[in-house]
Amino acid sequence: MFGEMAIANGAEEEEHEVRTAKSRKCFYLKKMIGDYIDTSVRVVATVFLADFLQRLYRCVVEYVRYSRYYLPEDRLWTVVRRSYTYNNKSAYLLLAYLIVGLSRISVSGNFRSVVPTVMFLAHMPLYWIFSDLGQSTLSYAHWIRDSHGLDYAAGMASNYFHGYLKLSLPERKDDGLKHRMALYEDKMNVTFGVDRLVILIPDEMFVSGELDSKYLEKVEPLETKFINRAGVYRPFKHAVYKLKHRINGKFYYFAMEGATPMLSFFDAMQFNLSATWQMQELKREIWLKFYKHLKELITTWPETRNEVELIIYNSHDTKGNLVDVGELLIDHMKNKTKIIDESTD
């Protein structure tokens, strides 16, 4: 009987020890998680404080050294607003950690547990020293891809659209692109393959003054359109090319040209006074962004969405041979219309 009691007591003690060990592990786990959260909140608070002070410093420098970039009446407000503008990600993170910090204070009842100590604050200079460490050429690439309209590519596309396409293509007084193409067809007794302006955007960015192709022949251009722009009547012209090969028994014509801003960018990269290594490194990003932004402008504006056919392409094939623009045009139109479905010499 005593033996049975001893066994029972031993089992109870063993079970008590197990419960105590589990309780201790649970306690230390909770403490570890709590300490981690407290430390994280302190680190984030230190980072945001360092960022706040850095922005304040830049705000003062901007106000003192670059005052000519601002109007006198709202210089202070503009500088402060620009200095303390946060993106959505930063604002949401700050709000999330603020909520976490308040939650920890309500649970522990200790306000000091989430307030940065002197040891944390002493590390703020590290933030100021290494805050630009994340910047790289890839950062430039992502900046170009963003939809802010301030990059080189978006600027070229906007100027090209507002200063040329939006003026010369829409119908005003019987002088729109489609009207001039119809007059051309009647006068020359020909047919256009597509009633739009075909704009070529090669990745090489270079387009010669006359398109070189064994399939194309340059002919008489469309009627010149004159538009008063900033006090000057400027001529707007569109070149016309004849497809040398018969398509369904006809020689089709196309109003076609290269994207002139891309040619200007190509020239800028060849000129020492304007070329930079960033332009060379990110020229493909600029090429793609130019096409994307120009297409968005053209398709969004009602007067131009049916006036332009953009063709973006690689200037060389996989073997390194130069792509024939005429052949490219035929392949593109096969996919866009049913007019071109077979060719004969």
Side-chain angles (χ1 to χ4, degrees), residues 117-137:
T117 61
V118 175
M119 184 61 68
F120 282 92
L121 297 179
H123 289 85
M124 286 197 299
L126 293 177
Y127 173 84
W128 300 330
I129 295 172
F130 296 106
S131 59
D132 295 330
L133 194 62
Q135 295 295 322
S136 65
T137 306

Side-chain angles (χ1 to χ4, degrees), residues 42-103:
R42 283 177 169 177
V43 170
V44 171
T46 304
V47 169
F48 271 96
L49 179 59
D51 180 73
F52 179 88
L53 295 176
Q54 185 181 60
R55 288 171 183 255
L56 179 61
Y57 168 75
R58 291 175 176 175
C59 181
V60 173
V61 172
E62 184 75 10
Y63 185 85
V64 174
R65 292 188 58 186
Y66 303 101
S67 59
R68 64 184 181 276
Y69 291 97
Y70 303 90
L71 295 175
E73 59 270 18
D74 61 352
R75 180 175 58 174
L76 178 60
W77 164 244
T78 304
V79 171
V80 172
R81 176 172 53 82
R82 289 180 178 180
S83 299
Y84 288 98
T85 298
Y86 290 90
N87 58 34
N88 291 336
K89 179 182 177 181
S90 299
Y92 291 147
L93 285 175
L94 179 60
L95 180 61
Y97 272 93
L98 182 61
I99 294 174
V100 172
L102 294 175
S103 300

Side-chain angles (χ1 to χ4, degrees), residues 177-195:
L177 176 70
K178 294 185 185 300
H179 180 78
R180 283 177 287 155
M181 292 178 73
L183 292 178
Y184 190 98
E185 287 180 326
D186 293 340
K187 178 182 177 181
M188 302 295 184
N189 193 26
V190 298
T191 303
F192 280 97
V194 59
D195 60 345

Side-chain angles (χ1 to χ4, degrees), residues 10-259:
E12 289 180 359
E13 290 178 0
E14 184 178 351
E15 183 178 355
H16 177 72
E17 290 178 359
V18 170
R19 285 199 300 266
T20 303
K22 287 183 178 180
S23 299
R24 191 180 297 112
K25 288 181 180 180
C26 185
F27 170 78
Y28 284 122
L29 179 61
K30 289 181 178 179
K31 185 178 185 303
M32 183 177 65
I33 294 175
D35 291 343
Y36 174 79
I37 294 175
D38 292 344
T39 304
S40 298
V41 173
R42 283 177 169 177
V43 170
V44 171
T46 304
V47 169
F48 271 96
L49 179 59
D51 180 73
F52 179 88
L53 295 176
Q54 185 181 60
R55 288 171 183 255
L56 179 61
Y57 168 75
R58 291 175 176 175
C59 181
V60 173
V61 172
E62 184 75 10
Y63 185 85
V64 174
R65 292 188 58 186
Y66 303 101
S67 59
R68 64 184 181 276
Y69 291 97
Y70 303 90
L71 295 175
E73 59 270 18
D74 61 352
R75 180 175 58 174
L76 178 60
W77 164 244
T78 304
V79 171
V80 172
R81 176 172 53 82
R82 289 180 178 180
S83 299
Y84 288 98
T85 298
Y86 290 90
N87 58 34
N88 291 336
K89 179 182 177 181
S90 299
Y92 291 147
L93 285 175
L94 179 60
L95 180 61
Y97 272 93
L98 182 61
I99 294 174
V100 172
L102 294 175
S103 300
R104 284 295 298 163
I105 293 174
S106 64
V107 171
S108 64
N110 184 7
F111 178 81
R112 295 182 178 180
S113 63
V114 295
V115 175
T117 61
V118 175
M119 184 61 68
F120 282 92
L121 297 179
H123 289 85
M124 286 197 299
L126 293 177
Y127 173 84
W128 300 330
I129 295 172
F130 296 106
S131 59
D132 295 330
L133 194 62
Q135 295 295 322
S136 65
T137 306
L138 188 60
S139 302
Y140 288 123
H142 285 287
W143 185 78
I144 291 174
R145 295 171 195 169
D146 286 342
S147 300
H148 44 66
L150 299 177
D151 59 280
Y152 204 129
M156 288 192 296
S158 295
N159 290 337
Y160 188 47
F161 175 76
H162 292 290
Y164 174 54
L165 299 178
K166 196 177 74 170
L167 299 175
S168 63
L169 303 184
E171 195 70 35
R172 298 282 190 268
K173 299 177 181 178
D174 293 333
D175 60 355
L177 176 70
K178 294 185 185 300
H179 180 78
R180 283 177 287 155
M181 292 178 73
L183 292 178
Y184 190 98
E185 287 180 326
D186 293 340
K187 178 182 177 181
M188 302 295 184
N189 193 26
V190 298
T191 303
F192 280 97
V194 59
D195 60 345
R196 299 183 180 191
L197 176 64
V198 179
I199 298 179
L200 304 175
I201 310 178
D203 67 341
E204 198 173 55
M205 302 183 190
F206 177 81
V207 179
S208 60
E210 182 173 336
L211 301 180
D212 184 21
S213 170
K214 63 182 179 181
Y215 296 100
L216 297 174
E217 176 187 349
K218 191 172 184 179
V219 295
E220 183 178 336
L222 293 179
E223 178 185 351
T224 302
K225 182 177 181 179
F226 292 88
I227 299 176
N228 188 333
R229 190 68 172 167
V232 179
Y233 277 92
R234 301 185 182 278
F236 290 82
K237 301 180 179 181
H238 304 297
V240 177
Y241 287 85
K242 171 187 174 182
L243 203 58
K244 294 181 181 179
H245 289 213
R246 291 182 182 272
I247 306 296
N248 297 335
K250 290 184 179 181
F251 290 107
Y252 282 98
Y253 288 64
F254 294 88
M256 185 163 57
E257 60 191 54

